[in-house]
Amino acid sequence: MTDLVHLTQQGDVAVITINNLPVNALGPGVIEGLAQALRQAEADKRASAVVIIGGGRTFVAGADIHEFQRVMSGEAPRTEGLLSLLPAIEACTKPVVMAIHGNAFGGGLELALAGHYRVATPDAQVGQPEVKLGLIPGAGGTQRLPRLAGVALAVEMCATGNPISAAQALKAGILDRLIEGDLLAGAIAFAREVIGKPRPKARDRSEKLGTPETNAPIFAAARDAAQKKQRGWKSPQVAIELVEAATRLPFEEGLKLEQARFRECLFSDQSKALVHVFFGEREVAKVPDIPKETPALPVNSVGVVGAGTMGGGIAMVFANAGIPVLLREVDQAALDRGMANIQKNYATSVQRGRFTQQFVEERLRLIKPTLAFDSFADVDMVVEAVFEGMALKKEVFAQLDKVCRPGAILASNTSTLSIDEIASATARPDAVIGTHFFSPANVMRLLEIVRGKATGKQTIATCMQVAKRVGKVGVLVGNCRGFVGNRMFHPYRREAQFLVEEGANPEAVDQALYDFGMAMGALATGDLAGLDVGWRIRKEYRHLERPGVRQPLTEDRLCEMGRYGQKTGAGWYKYDEKRRAIPDPEVTQLVRRWAAEAGIEQRKITPAEIVDRCIFALVNEGARILEEGIALRAVDIDIIYLNGYGFPAYRGGPMWYADTVGLKKVYGRICEFRERHGELWDPAPLLQQLAETGGTFAAFRKPQTAAA
Ligand code: 3HC
Ligand code: NAI
């Protein structure tokens, strides 16, 4: 037996413990160990029943995802032994009881479903999350689960990947009993109760499989929901097909089909991208020069300066995590407005069933409005979210530096300004950092954590921890204009506008990007955020523009006409009272006229060109960011784009997408654009180098690790 699986004897019950920490993934060694332990337990005359349990904090979180990352097209993953282990468990002549705590996910739930009985702690969860990795359950989950839980629940679990609680699983028949108190003792007691009783196998059951008539609307609704909520993802549709197959085919045939589809998914680009995202979300939390052990400061209270769009949302973020917040404004009217907005947002959450009224009342009690800075004397951290302007930010930071206790962290939510310059207004630059939340702050998962030249490691470690605690994906970035996300977004939106000025309709540009998988088209995004925001910034920075370099014409002119986007009922599109976008032929006509005046040649533009121009503009800027060390790794850029900019997860993020297309091809296309459109398309030196040497962004690491 391997070290990963232990067999012990507790009276007449054999206990098999899986010890592959941290999450008991079914990697190589575990499956073999389980098979061997089972054979021994079967042969051991002292044992009349078998309990399988997980050591550490969980039962089994599934197959080892590293295995899937390793396999190349056609190869068998080293988890395939699971397929022969599960029938061996079913065939065991002694009852096998699965004892679940923590999670039984993916292959972990499939392992449990092969047992004759399942018991669990009340706080356990079970699920088939494979679709989130672009996969489907590949060890019988799509065939056994509907037989135990019924078609409707099984299809929902397999297609959405969302877990259910132990209580729900008990009600659905996935579990046989919840165990309060010691799980192992309860499981052994349960096992003794079933000695000599029948050993039910999920594969033999059919009473919950429904009829074609009852099932048809369930599958139609599941397909519809998957199309809407997981647009562009292939695996949910495949998972639905497989659960449907379970209702039509004999068990073994269903299993064969599941295997064939599992392998197709495994070797798909979507699965490779989503596995990259799974590990990426965990990798961004790891900063090479700030080890896990770096002491972080306790953050038990927070001050937020400014109760506008962002400040209000940020206050909610902390309150939702149970952290008391002091919210400061300049005058009572602004404070009342800010608090009213917070209350309105919470009321909407209650209406939508996201929060209970009681939860909201508790959160609101945690947010204390104030006009006085003095009350900030005791807070552990401050997030500043006043208007975007350096003079004001410096004034606020100088004040905060005086009022706040030594050691308190001072963070700015600025989206464009230099953290170093802001820090220079204080005597504690090591405690100054950027925490760039995305709008709406209480909804968007992304938090760019901006490291200034002087920002201390403890300050960074604390903010990374705080991000996790408040449910955000914190990504550390370097200090430059626009940091990572907005800096890349600028050329992306520039190209979208150029394309309209060269002959594409606004709706054609947005449709091509939407079809690529973006949550929204680039122009519609501008309308949502407000075209005036960029217009004001451009007016301020006009003196920095290089003469002779092409600039987009349209958005400034739309703003001059009062078309700021959704907030004024018109921008690139017109908006009805429900803020639905309506294409506006007037805009297209105006752009044609402005383009003619500027001598811009008009031509027919394909959706493929739209995607290449916009997405490769992102990639080219991303390559510069990587080379400069503003992002630590390409995956950090990918995670930023997935969580902050609506980039489709199944494409893995812009840098992963470029690697998938092939950097040689991307570089070639960018050179074509350079030829046609000039210096804005100068290829990033790193892209050129990787294209010429056959490298990838994913493997690239800047020699010195610290972000700029
Ligand atoms: N395989 C390999 N590594 C895994 C893993 C898995 N299935 N699940 C988690 N890990 C690793 C993580 O990468 C992380 O590693 P790190 O410390 O080096 O970064 C470590 O375990 C701890 O994971 P988390 O940081 O995510 O810990 P949490 O406590 O926050 O969450 C969890 C635990 C809820 C189990 C979460 O890790 C999770 O959801 N895991 C993935 C579950 C999953 O997708 N299972 C299906 C796998 S595919 C499959 O089973 C196919 C089958 O049908 C044949
Ligand atoms: P906003 O205009 O909605 O709110 C700013 C608030 O700050 C106003 O209510 C104002 O009264 C208050 N304020 C000004 N001076 C103050 C002071 N000395 N003390 C206390 N309050 C003061 O602005 P918004 O959109 O919330 O932006 C805030 C910051 O967040 C800016 O730096 C902006 O660049 C950044 N940001 C904005 C995003 C957005 O989508 N709106 C997204 C990400 C960052």
Side-chain angles (χ1 to χ4, degrees):
M1 206 171 312
T2 64
D3 278 352
L4 302 171
V5 178
H6 296 132
L7 173 65
T8 54
Q9 196 66 35
Q10 303 243 355
D12 53 353
V13 178
V15 176
I16 300 176
T17 308
I18 307 169
N19 265 317
N20 186 22
L21 303 183
V23 294
N24 293 326
L26 297 170
V30 176
I31 296 168
E32 293 77 357
L34 276 169
Q36 198 185 343
L38 188 72
R39 279 195 301 274
Q40 284 183 13
E42 173 105 70
D44 191 335
K45 292 217 168 56
R46 289 171 301 165
S48 304
V50 182
V51 167
I52 299 184
I53 193 165
R57 61 178 174 174
T58 190
F59 182 65
V60 172
D64 187 338
I65 303 169
H66 294 101
E67 286 300 305
F68 303 147
Q69 206 176 27
R70 202 185 58 85
V71 295
M72 305 305 279
S73 160
E75 242 175 277
R78 287 186 293 171
T79 51
E80 284 211 330
L82 200 51
L83 294 174
S84 48
L85 171 68
L86 303 189
I89 294 174
E90 284 174 321
C92 185
T93 55
K94 301 168 183 178
V96 181
V97 177
M98 300 289 176
I100 300 167
H101 72 298
N103 309 296
F105 280 177
L109 179 55
E110 291 171 304
L111 170 71
L113 295 179
H116 303 120
Y117 299 96
R118 285 151 294 278
V119 298
T121 56
D123 58 355
Q125 287 196 318
V126 304
Q128 298 284 179
E130 289 89 341
V131 285
K132 297 190 179 181
L133 300 168
L135 297 168
I136 55 156
T142 62
Q143 305 302 299
R144 287 190 181 88
L145 193 58
R147 287 174 161 84
L148 277 182
V151 173
L153 182 61
V155 81
E156 191 189 328
M157 287 173 69
C158 293
T160 64
N162 295 333
I164 60 169
S165 67
Q168 285 171 291
L170 178 73
K171 196 162 159 232
I174 300 171
L175 297 176
D176 299 291
R177 185 176 294 170
L178 297 191
I179 306 278
E180 303 277 353
D182 185 68
L183 175 65
L184 180 59
I188 291 174
F190 183 93
R192 291 200 172 115
E193 284 174 37
V194 295
I195 292 171
K197 296 226 173 102
R199 295 182 306 284
K201 295 180 198 158
R203 66 161 69 213
D204 295 338
R205 298 197 26 199
S206 60
E207 74 278 8
K208 287 190 173 178
L209 289 179
T211 63
E213 293 71 37
T214 55
N215 288 337
I218 296 174
F219 292 122
R223 288 199 165 94
D224 201 38
Q227 220 149 36
K228 284 200 189 103
K229 293 194 189 133
Q230 295 143 293
R231 182 169 58 93
W233 291 48
K234 295 196 179 117
S235 52
Q237 297 290 349
V238 182
I240 297 166
E241 178 202 337
L242 266 307
V243 177
E244 193 171 34
T247 66
R248 286 187 294 105
L249 299 178
F251 182 78
E252 287 296 338
E253 275 183 47
L255 269 192
K256 263 196 213 128
L257 187 66
E258 186 193 72
Q259 263 313 289
R261 293 284 183 271
F262 178 77
R263 280 172 151 269
E264 284 164 22
C265 289
L266 186 59
F267 301 121
S268 67
D269 282 347
Q270 287 204 353
S271 176
K272 293 199 182 315
L274 289 162
V275 167
H276 159 75
V277 173
F278 175 83
F279 286 117
E281 287 211 340
R282 285 150 183 87
E283 195 170 355
V284 294
K286 295 167 189 154
V287 179
D289 70 326
I290 304 179
K292 238 185 12 210
E293 310 70 62
T294 309
L297 298 163
V299 174
N300 296 319
S301 60
V302 167
V304 174
V305 194
T309 312
M310 294 307 290
I314 294 167
M316 291 170 75
V317 167
F318 287 108
N320 290 347
I323 302 171
V325 183
L326 280 170
L327 181 59
R328 199 248 168 182
E329 257 296 347
V330 273
D331 57 42
Q332 195 59 46
L335 199 53
D336 292 345
R337 226 176 12 248
M339 286 306 292
N341 273 335
I342 291 174
Q343 275 155 357
K344 201 172 98 198
N345 286 338
Y346 272 132
T348 311
S349 297
V350 173
Q351 261 168 25
R352 293 191 180 152
R354 200 170 149 233
F355 294 146
T356 62
Q357 186 59 36
Q358 190 199 343
F359 177 90
V360 163
E361 279 162 19
E362 282 164 18
R363 305 303 122 174
L364 278 168
R365 273 198 292 276
L366 288 175
I367 304 177
K368 292 223 161 41
T370 178
L371 294 175
F373 256 136
D374 298 351
S375 49
F376 278 37
D378 295 324
V379 297
D380 298 320
M381 176 173 174
V382 177
V383 180
E384 164 279 311
V386 302
F387 302 126
E388 187 80 337
M390 186 52 90
L392 175 63
K393 301 263 185 204
K394 280 173 120 171
E395 190 189 312
V396 169
F397 270 72
Q399 244 169 328
L400 288 171
D401 190 33
K402 277 202 206 100
V403 181
C404 295
R405 62 169 180 72
I409 291 176
L410 307 183
S412 173
N413 190 51
T414 177
S415 33
T416 52
L417 302 173
S418 165
I419 295 300
D420 293 335
E421 197 175 340
I422 294 174
S424 73
T426 74
R428 60 173 97 188
D430 59 313
V432 176
I433 193 164
T435 48
H436 184 212
F437 288 83
F438 285 67
S439 181
N442 53 316
V443 176
M444 298 294 284
R445 274 184 88 211
L446 178 62
L447 180 65
E448 275 186 332
I449 298 176
V450 189
R451 177 182 202 162
K453 267 200 201 80
T455 308
K457 292 186 178 181
Q458 196 176 40
T459 306
I460 295 171
T462 305
C463 288
M464 298 293 282
Q465 269 193 18
V466 166
K468 192 162 183 198
R469 192 163 149 212
V470 300
K472 302 288 174 201
V473 183
V475 184
L476 187 66
V477 300
N479 183 30
C480 68
R481 204 164 144 218
F483 314 125
V484 169
N486 285 347
R487 178 169 155 186
M488 287 168 67
F489 209 52
H490 179 72
Y492 166 79
R493 293 207 65 256
R494 175 197 76 206
E495 288 305 310
Q497 294 172 67
F498 281 171
L499 285 157
V500 180
E501 290 165 12
E502 289 165 30
N505 286 340
E507 39 297 5
V509 171
D510 277 353
Q511 190 65 46
L513 294 169
Y514 182 80
D515 291 344
F516 172 80
M518 299 299 291
M520 256 181 135
L523 305 171
T525 308
D527 276 359
L528 176 68
L531 301 179
D532 56 317
V533 179
W535 181 45
R536 282 180 224 285
I537 295 172
R538 279 190 297 279
K539 280 200 278 196
E540 201 168 315
Y541 288 100
R542 192 126 289 159
H543 61 285
L544 297 180
E545 282 170 11
R546 275 180 297 157
V549 174
R550 181 178 171 190
Q551 296 292 337
L553 305 167
T554 309
E555 288 193 350
D556 287 355
R557 295 184 188 188
L558 291 176
C559 286
E560 281 158 18
M561 295 166 66
R563 297 183 71 124
Y564 292 176
Q566 289 196 17
K567 61 175 109 163
T568 57
W572 282 99
Y573 298 90
K574 280 191 293 203
Y575 292 88
D576 65 14
E577 65 293 343
K578 289 197 166 148
R579 293 205 166 190
R580 276 180 302 221
I582 304 157
D584 188 352
E586 194 193 327
V587 170
T588 311
Q589 275 166 23
L590 280 170
V591 180
R592 296 288 156 264
R593 201 179 80 215
W594 295 332
E597 285 162 10
I600 299 170
E601 183 198 332
Q602 299 293 292
R603 60 204 173 80
K604 195 166 157 27
I605 296 172
T606 64
E609 177 179 347
I610 293 169
V611 169
D612 283 0
R613 286 270 296 274
C614 294
I615 303 295
F616 292 163
L618 271 183
V619 170
N620 204 30
E621 196 62 33
R624 289 183 207 283
I625 282 172
L626 203 52
E627 194 168 16
E628 290 168 24
I630 294 291
L632 284 168
R633 298 146 295 217
V635 70
D636 294 63
I637 299 177
D638 288 335
I639 297 302
I640 286 174
Y641 261 77
L642 301 185
N643 291 289
Y645 294 85
F647 199 95
Y650 61 81
R651 294 196 192 272
M655 309 314 276
W656 182 265
Y657 170 71
D659 280 344
T660 309
V661 171
L663 295 191
K664 210 168 153 202
K665 213 161 143 190
V666 174
Y667 173 64
R669 197 82 172 109
I670 286 179
C671 289
E672 283 170 33
F673 295 150
R674 168 75 176 86
E675 193 84 351
R676 180 169 205 145
H677 304 287
E679 65 186 277
L680 284 173
W681 276 102
D682 281 345
L686 176 65
L687 172 62
Q688 178 174 2
Q689 179 209 319
L690 294 174
E692 286 171 357
T693 56
T696 60
F697 287 132
F700 174 78
R701 294 288 179 277
K702 190 173 158 69
Q704 73 270 32
T705 48

